[in-house]
Amino acid sequence: MRLEDVADELNVNLPQVRSLVRSGDLPAIKIGGRGVWRVERSELEAYIQRQYTVARESIEAGAAEGDEE
């Protein structure tokens, strides 16, 4: 997928996707002399699943902190 397609899929802007690629959070490859970036759909799906896990853990941690009162 082109980075523009990934941005559309995630409903974010292109600079946010580029930042994810630069940080290594979203694996991508550079193709050709012009340096066109591509992300495999499976990598995008894995990224989304990781984010669901992070969100779930954050919610659970928040719920546990709220139980201490």
Side-chain angles (χ1 to χ4, degrees), residues 1 5 10 27 31 39-40 43 47-50 55-56 58:
M1 300 175 70
D5 299 326
L10 294 176
I31 298 181
V39 175
E40 288 185 43
E43 293 292 352
Y47 169 77
I48 291 169
Q49 290 305 312
R50 286 192 303 275
R56 186 172 37 256
S58 176

Side-chain angles (χ1 to χ4, degrees), residues 16-57:
Q16 287 175 298
V17 174
R18 285 189 180 123
S19 178
L20 290 171
V21 170
R22 277 194 302 271
S23 70
D25 288 338
L26 180 60
I29 58 172
K30 203 172 188 181
I31 298 181
R34 294 177 40 205
V36 178
W37 286 94
R38 295 285 187 261
V39 175
E40 288 185 43
R41 180 161 290 281
S42 61
E43 293 292 352
L44 177 58
E45 293 299 328
Y47 169 77
I48 291 169
Q49 290 305 312
R50 286 192 303 275
Q51 294 310 303
Y52 274 119
T53 300
V54 168
R56 186 172 37 256
E57 290 171 353

